[in-house]
């Protein structure tokens, strides 16, 4: 085992009860698991096609129930060209909220053809208010708040990504 100067094993620290040591060890395992899962998230290229431009992003993909439930919770920063793409098994009404999410986001609801059906811009961090899709969405894209407005992204624009199963010419 590698030894680092000034670093002690939790079991060697005096004055800490066994319960406290166990709690510290559990917390460290949780942090390392969180870091590991963040580093292994699937990332794909995604573009948003507007009448004037094509905007490129690198997005994390949330395909499973647990990935979708976690989303961008507890994330404190994200680059302007990054986001998260939520992929569902079937199109339907979607309901999101910002609980435990410190970043303000644009939540973009997308139908099965890749067309944007609603943009909820500048969502409020930590809010428990429900943000509905107001239509059947198969995909949901989260970007930093203000991105849609800044890039001129509107309803009717189209998302394209290898992660999405959309027709080439809807």
């Amino acid at each position: 085992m590698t030894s680092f100067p000034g670093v002690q094993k939790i079991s060697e620290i005096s004055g800490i009860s066994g319960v406290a040591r166990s709690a510290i060890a559990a917390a460290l395992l949780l942090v390392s698991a969180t870091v590991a899962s963040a580093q292994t998230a699937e990332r794909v290229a995604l573009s948003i096609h507007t009448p004037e431009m094509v905007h490129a992003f690198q997005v994390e993909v949330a395909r499973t129930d647990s990935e979708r439930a976690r989303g961008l919770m507890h994330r404190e920063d994200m680059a302007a060209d990054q986001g998260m793409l939520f992929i569902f098994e079937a199109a339907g009404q979607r309901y999101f909220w910002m609980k435990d999410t410190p970043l303000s986001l644009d939540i973009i609801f997308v139908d099965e053809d890749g067309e944007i059906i609603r943009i909820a811009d500048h969502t409020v961090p930590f809010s428990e208010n429900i943000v509905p899709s107001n239509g059947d969405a198969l995909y949901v894209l989260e970007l930093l708040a203000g991105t849609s407005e800044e890039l001129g992204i509107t309803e009717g624009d189209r998302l394209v990504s290898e992660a999405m199963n959309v027709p080439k010419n809807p």
Side-chain angles (χ1 to χ4, degrees):
M1 178 176 202
T2 305
S3 176
F4 297 95
V7 176
Q8 291 178 286
K9 292 181 186 176
I10 293 171
S11 60
E12 296 173 346
I13 300 173
S14 61
I16 297 181
S17 72
V19 172
R21 278 195 288 268
S22 295
I24 292 169
L28 290 173
L29 283 173
L30 179 61
V31 168
S32 53
T34 302
V35 169
S37 70
Q39 292 172 342
T40 60
E42 176 188 3
R43 288 187 181 269
V44 298
L46 178 140
S47 59
I48 301 177
H49 297 244
T50 71
E52 296 80 29
M53 295 275 305
V54 174
H55 304 284
F57 298 89
Q58 284 292 315
V59 298
E60 295 175 50
V61 179
R63 293 180 191 274
T64 66
D65 288 340
S66 64
E67 290 170 339
R68 289 189 296 262
R70 186 174 50 252
L72 292 173
M73 288 176 20
H74 308 292
R75 191 79 57 94
E76 294 184 3
D77 59 357
M78 185 169 66
D81 66 343
Q82 293 181 342
M84 180 168 277
L85 177 66
F86 297 79
I87 300 176
F88 295 88
E89 291 82 22
Q93 293 290 322
R94 303 288 169 222
Y95 304 92
F96 277 56
W97 67 352
M98 296 294 294
K99 184 178 189 231
D100 298 323
T101 307
L103 292 172
S104 180
L105 301 170
D106 287 352
I107 302 177
I108 301 172
F109 298 93
V110 181
D111 71 11
E112 58 196 346
D113 292 326
E115 184 176 322
I116 296 173
I117 60 172
R118 177 171 188 235
I119 299 174
D121 60 344
H122 294 277
T123 57
V124 177
F126 302 108
S127 173
E128 293 186 16
N129 293 334
I130 301 301
V131 180
S133 60
N134 294 344
D136 289 342
L138 183 59
Y139 309 99
V140 178
L141 176 65
E142 292 182 339
L143 301 173
L144 286 176
T147 301
S148 299
E149 182 180 8
E150 182 179 325
L151 299 179
I153 297 167
T154 61
E155 291 176 10
D157 291 343
R158 192 157 189 264
L159 272 63
V160 175
S161 174
E162 65 185 33
M164 300 168 62
N165 185 24
V166 297
K168 297 291 182 207
N169 297 307

